[in-house]
Amino acid sequence: MSSPYPEGVLFRLVDKESRNVLVAAEDVRGFFVDPDEEPPETVTFVRAHRVDPKAGKTERAEFEVVGREGKTIGAYDVGRVAAVLRQASGSTDATHARPDVEYALFGHVCEFPEAGEMWRRWAEGGPIEAGEWRRYPAGTQKSWLHVVQTAWFSSGRRATRYSPVETAVIEGSGIVTRAALYCAVGEAVNGPGGYFGSNLDALHDCLRTMRRDSDRPLRVLWRDFPASREALGSDYTDAVRSVFQESGVEVERG
C-alpha cells in the first residue's frame, strides 16, 4: 500500500474530531524544546507538503509523528491551535520551494529537546539492534525513553510484557542514569525499542498487568550489577530489585 503522503513527511497537525490534516511537513521547529527554556510563541512546520487552507484553527488538535505509509507512530494531544503565518520560501530550488507554516500551539510542546531527531529513527522502522540507545549521550537518554514510551502506547500496546523471553537480561555496564536503566529494562523484556516502565511506579504497573495477563514465568539476570549500583546508588537499585521481587520475579545479580 502506497503512502498518502510524499516521502519525507515526518510531522503533521490533525484535527482530532474530523481527522482532517491541517498541515503535513518534513520538519518542525519549536515543538521539541528544553524544559528550562520559555516555550516559543509559535511552532513552525518546515517544508509543508500539505496545507488545508480552510482549517486555520481547531479546539482539539493532535501533533503526530508519521512513519512509513503515512501511519501515526507517535502522537501528542495539543488542544487548541491556530495558524499564524503561511509564507512560501523565496528559493526556487525544488528542495526548498515548499512553504513553512506557523501555528500557535499555546505552550503545548514536548519538553524532550532531542526527541525530534530520535523520531526520525523511529520513522525509518525503529531500533533494530539491541543497545541502540547506548549510542546516545547519557544526557539525552531521557529523550530516547520518552520516544520509546510514546511510540509504544501510540501503537495501541499496553504496559505489559509481549515478548516470550523467560529470562530478561539487563546489561548493567554503561547504565549511568535512571532513564538508561529503563531503556535497558524495556529492551530486556520486550526487545529493541520495547517499553516496560519509565519509573518505579510504571514498572510496578507493567509487572502487575503482566501477572494478570500471563502465567509465563519471568526471571531477570542483571549483569554488571555492581556497576549499575555504583552509578545509580544503592537505594535506587535496591528499590528496583524490590519492585521485581514483590511481583514474584527473581533477580539474579551478575
Side-chain angles (χ1 to χ4, degrees), residues 41-157:
E41 293 184 359
T42 63
V43 171
T44 303
F45 291 82
V46 179
R47 296 186 297 279
H49 287 246
R50 176 173 175 174
V51 180
D52 186 343
K54 299 179 182 178
K57 62 181 179 179
T58 181
E59 295 299 315
R60 296 189 61 199
E62 191 170 72
F63 179 98
E64 296 181 346
V65 186
V66 183
R68 293 176 179 175
E69 299 182 354
K71 294 181 179 179
T72 302
I73 60 173
Y76 301 84
D77 190 348
V78 295
R80 181 167 63 99
V81 302
V84 175
L85 175 66
R86 294 175 179 176
Q87 181 176 344
S89 168
S91 172
T92 57
D93 187 323
T95 62
H96 297 90
R98 298 189 179 277
D100 291 353
V101 179
E102 291 191 29
Y103 267 82
L105 269 58
F106 305 99
H108 294 285
V109 294
C110 174
E111 295 184 338
F112 293 91
E114 300 86 9
E117 286 305 311
M118 291 174 179
W119 275 121
R120 292 188 181 279
R121 182 69 187 93
W122 249 255
E124 295 169 0
I128 58 175
E129 299 178 13
E132 190 168 334
W133 57 271
R134 294 177 182 269
R135 300 175 188 172
Y136 292 87
T140 69
Q141 288 168 353
K142 282 185 179 181
S143 291
W144 180 271
L145 180 61
H146 162 77
V147 170
V148 166
Q149 183 174 1
T150 305
W152 189 261
F153 290 113
S154 294
S155 71
R157 287 172 290 195

